[in-house]
Amino acid sequence: MIHPATLIPGDGIGPEVADATVRVIECTGVSIEWERIELNAAIITESGKHLPPAVLGSLARTHVGLKGPVTTPVAGGFQSVNVSLRKQLDLFANVRPVRKLPGLKSRYEDVPIDIVIFRENTEDLYAGLEHEVVANVVTSLKVITRTASERIARYAFQYAKSAGRKKITAVHKANIMKLSDGLFLKCCREVSREFPQIEYTELIVDNAAMQLVMKPEQFDVLLMPNLYGDIVSDLAAGLVGGLGIVPGANIGERDAVFEAVHGSAPDIAGKGIANPTALMLSSVMMLRHLGEYEAARRLQSAIESVYAERKYLTPDVGGKATTNEFTNAVAAALN
Ligand code: ATP
């Protein structure tokens, strides 16, 4: 069977890690007919559209995407393409499994870390509703709705149930944002009652950050609104070896776009040393989504075997290999 899918390499290190990932997917023997759509700051600025119709048109056909990062200008410039895409396609659930890889040296060497983060993906402060009230006074609206909160909570609980997970921790700041985070929590509590087999706890976000650093092994599934999810994902990535290895999926009712947690990493772009693991593991999630379970298992275990051997790791995880050398090693493990 041939699966149509949209490939958005993005910019910065995006094209490097996307090419590497396409190569190893090919080695699994799964046939994917890629619609490759270029998207970067230059194209966006030229077209005047931060989400060119080619991107949405392709995803409307394929319903599945593999996406590299697209740079978002800081304090001004165009809106985040990543955020817009999630909103436009209503990819409400951002799922980020944070796991250690074999052979990887980390400060948490003897600590078992296996956490899945569920981040609400469409609202919160990412609504982008900012407004200058008078000169030098600016507001930014934090939007939390029952619909979106219930939906992400139910998705996380359903996942926990089907994956045999034991505990969900909702992360919030409802002691300060009593109405907005209060509503989010209320929805999580209500949904939790439909799943009595799963332990449900709550943690204020600042405490959650400290607990994650001090005792990450206590966490199983984390459930949170958009902004905390963004920050906590990077923190959690740091526990297991950094942004180079943590994958992600954006899931909606119709469509799914798989992309790593990391951004475009301009500091290392073009140097040939970006770690493609995070996007490769995102593609493992994509293969499962496509029903290609055996190929997903093989790719995952090929990546793990290259880590266990430690010979071809990229510099971000303590090695000396280039993106290409790491990719060759994964391809060889698959073949
Ligand atoms: P954004 O805000 O766009 O999501 P970010 O805050 O996640 O971006 P990144 O661009 O991902 O930031 O980069 C953060 C740091 O992590 C940089 O030093 C970068 O080089 C490193 N990094 C990120 N991804 C990778 C990767 N795949 N391989 C190696 N290093 C990476």
Side-chain angles (χ1 to χ4, degrees), residues 20-79:
T21 302
V22 166
R23 231 190 98 198
V24 296
I25 293 174
E26 249 168 50
C27 295
T28 67
V30 171
S31 296
I32 300 204
E33 194 179 2
W34 296 106
E35 287 192 17
R36 190 182 168 111
I37 310 284
E38 300 301 335
L39 189 56
N40 52 46
I43 289 176
I44 293 164
T45 313
E46 231 168 73
S47 72
K49 292 203 167 76
H50 66 284
L51 212 50
V55 178
L56 293 174
S58 174
L59 282 163
R61 281 189 294 278
T62 63
H63 301 293
V64 178
L66 183 68
K67 176 179 165 300
V70 179
T71 308
T72 306
V74 176
F78 54 83
Q79 282 182 332

Side-chain angles (χ1 to χ4, degrees), residues 13 234 243-244 262-265 267-268 274-275 316:
I13 59 170
D234 273 31
L243 287 170
H262 65 73
S264 55
D267 52 333
I268 56 164
N275 189 349
D316 59 304

Side-chain angles (χ1 to χ4, degrees), residues 90-95 121 155 249-253 255-258 289:
D90 201 20
L91 305 172
F92 67 91
N94 192 323
V95 186
N121 224 3
Y155 191 79
N250 301 291
I251 309 282
E253 306 283 353
D255 308 313
V257 175
F258 297 82
H289 177 84

